[in-house]
Amino acid sequence: MADLIAILNQSANGLAAFRAAAHTAGHNMQNVNTPGYSRQRVELEALGANFLRRGAYLGQGVGLTAITQSRDLFLERQIPEAVAGRARYQAESQVLRGVSALDPEAQEGLVSALGDFYGRMRALAQNPADLGLRQAVLGGARNLAMTLNRTGQALEDARTGVDAAMTREVDEANALMGELAALNGSVAEARGRGAEPNDLLDKRLLVANELSSLTGATIVTDDQG
């Protein structure tokens, strides 16, 4: 009878362990296209012997020790800094596109208009009695005035756009920080129960990377996780 109970216990341990393995494999397959998901792995170990029969220890089968994540921590630590750098470059690029009116190589830009106006002025200075050159100077002055107005408006539009984007992104950043704080609490609570919340860790990393991309901030993990 004792042998039968031992066999049943061993079978129950094995079924529980491999049921967790099958569940984890299914979870991995279903989340293969989920952004931020890290593949999970079942850690098994041989259960210690519990009975001694005829000079040999009889083991209790296999047991589940943990469900861990397959993650490259070295590469993962590089991601926040890379994402933050990309965010800075994108922000600079957007602002510079907004002030493209100051580009010295622009065909109808401010530098071109100034050069054209002073060129006409030099020509008129050499022959001030020429009515055609006088008309050319007036045309150049009008073109320069319109270019100055366009440039001023472009700069104002760029400033307004940057202000609007900052207001919008501050709200988004605050929402992400609130979500990150809530996830930190959930992770700490789960770990307090002795479990490693793999899916919560994936979600937290995804939110942290979004925050880095938005603000250029670098995420640092402290000793409390």
Side-chain angles (χ1 to χ4, degrees):
M1 187 65 179
D3 289 340
L4 177 60
I5 293 175
I7 291 172
L8 291 175
N9 285 335
Q10 186 184 76
S11 299
N13 292 334
L15 285 173
F18 287 109
R19 182 175 62 185
H23 178 84
T24 302
H27 189 55
N28 286 334
M29 288 188 292
Q30 292 160 14
N31 286 281
V32 66
N33 293 318
T34 301
Y37 180 80
S38 298
R39 184 172 62 85
Q40 297 180 13
R41 180 178 60 241
V42 172
E43 304 289 347
L44 302 176
E45 70 172 0
L47 297 177
N50 200 25
F51 301 98
L52 180 62
R53 291 292 184 271
R54 297 178 183 177
Y57 285 100
L58 300 179
Q60 299 184 77
V62 66
L64 172 69
T65 59
I67 299 177
T68 60
Q69 293 178 300
S70 298
R71 302 166 72 169
D72 189 326
L73 296 180
F74 175 76
L75 291 179
E76 195 171 283
R77 292 189 185 99
Q78 316 305 313
I79 292 175
E81 184 175 352
V83 170
R86 185 183 65 178
R88 287 192 294 271
Y89 297 140
Q90 287 178 339
E92 291 174 1
S93 176
Q94 290 172 358
V95 173
L96 290 175
R97 282 199 302 268
V99 296
S100 59
L102 297 177
D103 184 357
E105 298 181 0
Q107 292 290 334
E108 299 181 357
L110 181 59
V111 174
S112 176
L114 281 169
D116 178 68
F117 175 72
Y118 284 116
R120 297 184 185 193
M121 287 290 291
R122 283 195 298 270
L124 180 61
Q126 294 174 4
N127 191 3
D130 191 320
L131 292 178
L133 293 178
R134 293 182 181 182
Q135 291 298 322
V137 168
L138 291 176
R142 284 193 296 269
N143 180 60
L144 178 58
M146 289 188 294
T147 303
L148 286 169
N149 288 333
R150 284 198 306 269
T151 302
Q153 186 60 51
L155 292 174
E156 179 61 22
D157 291 343
R159 185 191 65 80
T160 302
V162 169
D163 289 346
M166 287 182 61
T167 300
R168 181 177 65 254
E169 291 175 359
V170 164
D171 292 339
E172 188 177 349
N174 285 335
L176 287 171
M177 285 188 284
E179 188 175 359
L180 189 61
L183 285 167
N184 277 335
S186 298
V187 168
E189 182 180 353
R191 284 175 170 170
R193 295 196 297 265
E196 191 67 5
N198 296 323
D199 294 319
L200 287 177
L201 293 175
D202 286 340
K203 177 64 175 176
R204 186 175 68 172
L205 182 60
L206 187 62
V207 171
N209 287 339
E210 288 179 7
L211 187 60
S212 294
S213 177
L214 182 66
T215 65
T218 300
I219 304 300
V220 178
T221 303
D222 61 17
D223 55 357
Q224 296 181 345

